Amino acid sequence: MTEFSFACVGVRADRYAAGPTLVFRLRVTASGDTPVHAVALRCQIRIEPARRGYAADEADGLTDLFGERSRWGSTLQPVQFAQVPLMVSAFTGETETDLVVPCTYDLDIAATRYLDALTDGEVPLLMLFSGTAFTGTAGFRVEPVPWDREASFRMPVATWREMVEQHFPGCGWIRLPGDTMDALLAYRSRHALPSWEATVKALLADARPPANDPFRTLTGTTGRTEP
């Protein structure tokens, strides 16, 4: 049986992709000198939050995911990042190939929420591999790639932010249900607002109590919310 091992040697943001995409550079090693005709891989990538430290502002941004910092001993569990297939071309001994991972900036996704909260440093990733290899010198034989094949990698936060900036420069993204979007569009049309930014700002202004509201002043000084 051929023994396979994997290592991630780099990552970059794909500036030419239609949507946010990371490209991981993988090194695949096969024991012995038997030719490998192809490897059909399943690659699962997990974020391991417990393997790095967090500044105070990062901890604040992660409260929705993991709760207060005092609870992190039990809540700081791995987060699923991606699961993608990969076909590795023929090689003997060792080769390098690109693992293309489409990403999202949907903040309803736990991995995106986690990455968005980070300001600096690295993201601890664990890559898990399995699949099927086709090997042999005369014809080919089919061999499994065991489920215990894995590789650790620390992705720079800067690479994630570079990818996001390529597709959403200076912007955020939010997903809304259809009926909410319809109501928002109706509000924008009714008030002849020129953009979605102006629409949201107008709604926020409508929701903000007047500066001279006596009830607001009272609750701000006494903490009471009822008479």
Side-chain angles (χ1 to χ4, degrees):
M1 295 287 289
T2 305
E3 290 290 330
F4 290 92
S5 61
F6 302 87
C8 183
V9 298
V11 63
R12 59 182 172 83
D14 188 348
R15 64 177 60 251
Y16 302 109
T21 303
L22 291 172
V23 181
F24 293 88
R25 190 66 176 172
L26 291 184
R27 179 177 297 143
V28 184
T29 303
S31 63
D33 56 2
T34 301
V36 178
H37 302 296
V39 184
L41 285 177
R42 294 181 294 273
C43 310
Q44 183 180 158
I45 305 177
R46 295 178 184 169
I47 299 170
E48 299 207 308
R51 291 172 48 204
R52 63 158 282 167
Y54 300 91
D57 54 343
E58 292 177 327
D60 290 342
L62 294 171
T63 301
D64 286 349
L65 282 180
F66 304 120
E68 299 297 328
R69 193 189 282 267
S70 59
R71 299 177 52 211
W72 284 10
S74 59
T75 63
L76 218 59
Q77 300 298 318
V79 176
Q80 180 78 3
F81 179 56
Q83 188 162 337
V84 291
L86 174 66
M87 183 62 72
V88 182
S89 301
F91 70 97
T92 300
E94 184 178 281
T95 188
E96 289 190 2
T97 187
D98 287 337
L99 176 64
V100 179
V101 178
C103 301
T104 177
Y105 195 40
D106 183 351
L107 293 177
D108 286 340
I109 305 299
T112 307
R113 192 77 163 270
Y114 173 86
L115 292 162
D116 186 68
L118 304 184
T119 59
D120 202 0
E122 297 173 327
V123 183
L125 300 177
L126 180 64
M127 299 180 168
L128 307 171
F129 301 95
S130 63
T132 305
F134 303 90
T135 66
T137 52
F140 68 87
R141 63 176 180 268
V142 179
E143 301 184 28
V145 177
W147 283 94
D148 62 353
R149 304 296 93 173
E150 61 183 45
S152 295
F153 181 68
R154 302 187 74 86
M155 178 179 72
V157 173
T159 303
W160 168 265
R161 296 200 168 276
E162 176 190 350
M163 179 198 71
V164 171
E165 280 297 310
Q166 288 173 2
H167 296 274
F168 304 100
C171 299
W173 187 92
I174 187 170
R175 182 177 61 183
L176 296 172
D179 55 349
T180 304
M181 279 298 303
D182 291 342
L184 199 59
L185 180 59
Y187 180 90
R188 176 178 174 177
S189 299
R190 190 162 59 249
H191 292 82
L193 295 166
S195 66
W196 288 117
E197 180 183 5
T199 303
V200 174
K201 284 183 175 180
L203 285 168
L204 291 173
D206 289 346
R208 188 180 301 120
N212 59 352
D213 185 348
F215 182 72
R216 181 186 182 194
T217 304
L218 176 63
T219 57
T221 56
T222 66
R224 297 179 58 187
T225 58
E226 296 181 352

